[in-house]
Amino acid sequence: MDASTIQPKFLKNHNDLGLIAVGFSGGQCKPGVDAAPMALIESGLVDQLKDDLKYNIHYDGQVHAYAELMPKEDPAHRNMKKPRAVSAVTQQLSKQVYEHAKEGRFVLTLGGDHSIAIGTISGTAKAMRERLGRDIAVIWVDAHADINTPETSDSGNIHGMPVAFLTGLATDKPDAPFGWLEENQRISAKKLVYIGLRDIDRGEKKILREHGIKAFSMHDVDRHGIGKVMDMALGWIGSDTPIHLSFDIDALDPMWAPSTGTAVRGGLTLREGDFIAECVHETGSLIALDLVEVNPSLEAHGAAETVRAGCSIVRCALGDTLL
């Protein structure tokens, strides 16, 4: 591995990286995903980014569990489970991401379940508007669309709702749990691209159609190949837009990433996942990456494999190349 030669368009310094480790699992019901950041770090990821890819890493050395923010009682609100806990964590995380992003650093967030994207993406969206006057685009790589509103969700788990809150399709009153989200922290549904979808709720399909959201399912990957899909995805976003890549490890087929809470067969290969990350890095437009939903506790034999896959995605998004 060598340092990337790609010059970033929207970062102050190409090798400054803010790292936030988020040990939070409250957006869904299976414990263990909170252990992922430590597993990824202990596997050598931070050392590889520092020593091999030459990043100057700003990291406080903690895996944030946000125990001090947890409410004593957290009854359901509009069908959402643990709404106050998820709200408190994502609001705090949004501030943490914003602090790095406003300094012009790349922001890497290791989760945690995918509800944390409410925090990460709102933080980068606000920072980029303030720093450069630009709206961001989001590439959401996932088996699931995570765009349920509280009313369309069957499970009530908030890790299936972050995109709805981030696009403003779901909102909350100012005094309600997600009332803290402001307009400058949201993204446009027109600047959102999905890759890898294959397990989408009926209500979500309706939302995607009605709002004309650009989505490449596994059918599209099968038909066109991942190279063409990436050309189309990046063409839709354009070359002059900062990109936040939010990567759920369950986008990969369970053959490559078995240790995740909602695994779905028929997914991306590890190389296809790496290729997505490589392509986005090559644009020079990537400003932030989330890696979420690695759950080392679910598969005794598959945990190490899943952690390795997660590390590979991160390295590729940060400039690692095969040659």
Side-chain angles (χ1 to χ4, degrees), residues 76-222:
H77 165 68
R78 290 171 61 194
N79 181 43
M80 292 184 277
K81 294 174 181 168
K82 304 180 191 165
R84 290 156 199 83
V86 178
S87 169
V89 167
T90 52
Q91 186 174 12
Q92 178 59 28
L93 177 57
S94 184
K95 292 173 185 167
Q96 290 171 274
V97 170
Y98 171 80
E99 287 303 318
H100 284 303
K102 78 178 175 63
E103 297 299 326
R105 295 175 194 142
F106 186 96
V107 188
L108 170 62
T109 306
L110 303 177
D113 70 64
H114 220 161
S115 71
I116 70 167
I118 297 172
T120 61
I121 291 171
S122 62
T124 50
K126 180 182 178 185
M128 291 310 288
R129 285 192 174 109
E130 289 182 7
R131 195 166 69 80
L132 295 177
R134 290 177 182 272
D135 291 348
I136 67 167
V138 171
I139 299 179
W140 194 276
V141 185
D142 202 322
H144 312 89
D146 295 348
I147 200 168
N148 270 305
T149 65
E151 290 70 31
T152 63
S153 170
D154 289 331
S155 70
N157 291 328
I158 299 175
H159 76 160
M161 306 179 199
V163 183
F165 279 106
L166 287 163
T167 53
L169 296 173
T171 55
D172 233 348
K173 292 175 183 163
D175 60 345
F178 292 97
W180 62 267
L181 271 167
E182 297 175 348
E183 203 50 47
N184 69 346
Q185 296 172 303
R186 292 198 177 96
I187 59 164
S188 165
K190 297 281 182 256
K191 292 280 190 183
L192 168 66
V193 180
Y194 285 104
I195 301 171
L197 297 180
R198 59 190 182 279
D199 184 14
I200 310 157
D201 297 340
R202 184 178 297 170
E204 291 182 305
K205 286 184 183 178
K206 189 165 179 278
I207 290 169
L208 293 176
R209 278 197 301 269
E210 285 179 354
H211 293 275
I213 292 168
K214 184 61 77 175
F216 297 97
S217 70
M218 286 308 300
H219 174 89
D220 299 301
V221 175
D222 293 339

Side-chain angles (χ1 to χ4, degrees), residues 38-58:
M38 188 49 71
L40 290 158
I41 291 165
E42 285 179 347
S43 74
L45 177 60
V46 176
D47 292 334
Q48 291 163 12
L49 299 181
K50 203 184 300 176
D51 300 337
D52 300 333
L53 294 174
K54 309 302 180 197
Y55 280 94
N56 177 24
I57 297 179
H58 302 261

Side-chain angles (χ1 to χ4, degrees), residues 4-20:
S4 174
T5 57
I6 302 290
Q7 282 304 312
K9 299 172 187 171
F10 306 110
L11 303 174
K12 279 185 185 168
N13 191 339
H14 77 279
N15 64 348
D16 257 355
L17 184 147
L19 170 63
I20 307 168

